[in-house]
Amino acid sequence: MDPRSSEYYELIGSKLYTSVVADVMDDLGRWHQVMRYEIRPLYEGAQVVGRAATMLACEVYELPERPFELELELLDSLVPGEVVVCTTQGSTIAAMWGELLSTHTRALGGRGAIIDGLTRDAWGIEAMRFPVFASGTSPADSKGRLDVTALRVPIRVGGVVVSDGDLVVGDVDGCLAVPRAIEADVVERALAKVSGENVVRDVLAAGASIRQVFKEHGIL
């Protein structure tokens, strides 16, 4: 299956979840791929799977000569399957995302946004059911407060280094990034682990000893 196809992302979204993907990466020695818990879904039921399109933002203290210039460049360059992933490097002075950016991203085939920072227009984003994950909300506009300084470079998001093109997954438990070098292995192992968990769930529901189940299956 083409790892950049909608079928691939939908398979991951329908069969996998962040906790099982995180477990598999732990087993592979990748212990630091889960973003901090503050980056949460904006509305109940939000789920995102896609390729990171990264942008780095920082605080500014006067209106840039060409505000939004790099941000708009990234948004116009999006291809189907991408997820905008942004960090404001800890700044919470303004919202970096909103409803109109969500509308544009969806129109180009983008699958969501993960913002290590704030968003706004929560009412509109929820109404359109566009999956946005952020650390909070604010009505303040980023214009004259935050500006994008680099595009499609590795950035640190919720404590995780995310490179442009990495697989990102988010659901009710939070968000994580899967490095491209291990992605195929992670997805294959996660699908197998989910199958095993389904078996274990049935055995536990029947009242079996959890210690014995773990001894036999090695899954919890």
Side-chain angles (χ1 to χ4, degrees), residues 16 18 69 93 126 148 150 179 196 198:
L16 302 182
T18 53
E69 182 177 25
I93 63 171
E126 180 175 1
V148 174
N198 291 338

PDB file of all heavy atoms in Angstrom, residues 16 18 69 93 126 148 150 179 196 198:
ATOM      1  N   LEU A  16      -5.461   1.430  14.295  1.00  0.00           N
ATOM      2  CA  LEU A  16      -4.474   1.691  15.336  1.00  0.00           C
ATOM      3  C   LEU A  16      -4.895   2.857  16.217  1.00  0.00           C
ATOM      4  O   LEU A  16      -5.843   3.574  15.915  1.00  0.00           O
ATOM      5  CB  LEU A  16      -3.108   1.982  14.699  1.00  0.00           C
ATOM      6  CG  LEU A  16      -2.542   0.892  13.794  1.00  0.00           C
ATOM      7  CD1 LEU A  16      -1.169   1.300  13.273  1.00  0.00           C
ATOM      8  CD2 LEU A  16      -2.468  -0.448  14.522  1.00  0.00           C
ATOM      9  N   THR A  18      -2.941   5.709  19.390  1.00  0.00           N
ATOM     10  CA  THR A  18      -1.631   6.208  19.808  1.00  0.00           C
ATOM     11  C   THR A  18      -0.951   5.327  20.841  1.00  0.00           C
ATOM     12  O   THR A  18       0.268   5.141  20.796  1.00  0.00           O
ATOM     13  CB  THR A  18      -1.736   7.635  20.355  1.00  0.00           C
ATOM     14  OG1 THR A  18      -2.747   7.694  21.381  1.00  0.00           O
ATOM     15  CG2 THR A  18      -2.071   8.617  19.239  1.00  0.00           C
ATOM     16  N   GLU A  69       4.112  35.880   5.969  1.00  0.00           N
ATOM     17  CA  GLU A  69       4.692  35.512   4.680  1.00  0.00           C
ATOM     18  C   GLU A  69       5.058  34.030   4.597  1.00  0.00           C
ATOM     19  O   GLU A  69       4.611  33.308   3.683  1.00  0.00           O
ATOM     20  CB  GLU A  69       5.930  36.351   4.390  1.00  0.00           C
ATOM     21  CG  GLU A  69       6.538  36.040   3.022  1.00  0.00           C
ATOM     22  CD  GLU A  69       7.722  36.929   2.686  1.00  0.00           C
ATOM     23  OE1 GLU A  69       8.368  37.431   3.621  1.00  0.00           O
ATOM     24  OE2 GLU A  69       7.996  37.110   1.489  1.00  0.00           O
ATOM     25  N   ILE A  93       1.387  33.810  23.810  1.00  0.00           N
ATOM     26  CA  ILE A  93       0.873  35.184  23.763  1.00  0.00           C
ATOM     27  C   ILE A  93      -0.232  35.355  22.732  1.00  0.00           C
ATOM     28  O   ILE A  93      -0.949  36.355  22.761  1.00  0.00           O
ATOM     29  CB  ILE A  93       1.998  36.205  23.487  1.00  0.00           C
ATOM     30  CG1 ILE A  93       2.631  35.960  22.115  1.00  0.00           C
ATOM     31  CG2 ILE A  93       3.053  36.155  24.581  1.00  0.00           C
ATOM     32  CD1 ILE A  93       3.603  37.056  21.695  1.00  0.00           C
ATOM     33  N   GLU A 126     -14.546  23.172  15.480  1.00  0.00           N
ATOM     34  CA  GLU A 126     -15.354  22.032  15.939  1.00  0.00           C
ATOM     35  C   GLU A 126     -16.537  21.804  15.006  1.00  0.00           C
ATOM     36  O   GLU A 126     -16.871  20.659  14.677  1.00  0.00           O
ATOM     37  CB  GLU A 126     -15.843  22.259  17.363  1.00  0.00           C
ATOM     38  CG  GLU A 126     -16.676  21.110  17.883  1.00  0.00           C
ATOM     39  CD  GLU A 126     -17.067  21.262  19.342  1.00  0.00           C
ATOM     40  OE1 GLU A 126     -16.710  22.288  19.954  1.00  0.00           O
ATOM     41  OE2 GLU A 126     -17.727  20.347  19.860  1.00  0.00           O
ATOM     42  N   VAL A 148       6.318  33.097  11.650  1.00  0.00           N
ATOM     43  CA  VAL A 148       7.030  31.884  11.241  1.00  0.00           C
ATOM     44  C   VAL A 148       8.397  32.265  10.684  1.00  0.00           C
ATOM     45  O   VAL A 148       8.526  33.178   9.862  1.00  0.00           O
ATOM     46  CB  VAL A 148       6.206  31.106  10.197  1.00  0.00           C
ATOM     47  CG1 VAL A 148       6.999  29.915   9.663  1.00  0.00           C
ATOM     48  CG2 VAL A 148       4.895  30.629  10.813  1.00  0.00           C
ATOM     49  N   ALA A 150      10.864  29.560   9.836  1.00  0.00           N
ATOM     50  CA  ALA A 150      11.445  28.486   9.021  1.00  0.00           C
ATOM     51  C   ALA A 150      10.367  27.475   8.675  1.00  0.00           C
ATOM     52  O   ALA A 150       9.442  27.236   9.465  1.00  0.00           O
ATOM     53  CB  ALA A 150      12.593  27.797   9.758  1.00  0.00           C
ATOM     54  N   PRO A 179       9.240   8.421  13.270  1.00  0.00           N
ATOM     55  CA  PRO A 179      10.289   8.750  12.299  1.00  0.00           C
ATOM     56  C   PRO A 179      10.183   7.887  11.048  1.00  0.00           C
ATOM     57  O   PRO A 179       9.858   6.696  11.119  1.00  0.00           O
ATOM     58  CB  PRO A 179      11.586   8.458  13.071  1.00  0.00           C
ATOM     59  CG  PRO A 179      11.206   8.564  14.515  1.00  0.00           C
ATOM     60  CD  PRO A 179       9.798   8.056  14.583  1.00  0.00           C
ATOM     61  N   GLY A 196      -3.297  -9.097  18.608  1.00  0.00           N
ATOM     62  CA  GLY A 196      -3.051  -9.819  19.845  1.00  0.00           C
ATOM     63  C   GLY A 196      -3.833  -9.257  21.009  1.00  0.00           C
ATOM     64  O   GLY A 196      -4.342 -10.006  21.860  1.00  0.00           O
ATOM     65  N   ASN A 198      -6.727  -7.874  20.900  1.00  0.00           N
ATOM     66  CA  ASN A 198      -8.121  -8.290  20.765  1.00  0.00           C
ATOM     67  C   ASN A 198      -8.328  -9.683  21.359  1.00  0.00           C
ATOM     68  O   ASN A 198      -9.347  -9.950  22.011  1.00  0.00           O
ATOM     69  CB  ASN A 198      -8.540  -8.262  19.296  1.00  0.00           C
ATOM     70  CG  ASN A 198      -8.624  -6.847  18.753  1.00  0.00           C
ATOM     71  OD1 ASN A 198      -8.778  -5.886  19.511  1.00  0.00           O
ATOM     72  ND2 ASN A 198      -8.525  -6.708  17.440  1.00  0.00           N
TER      73      ASN A 198
END
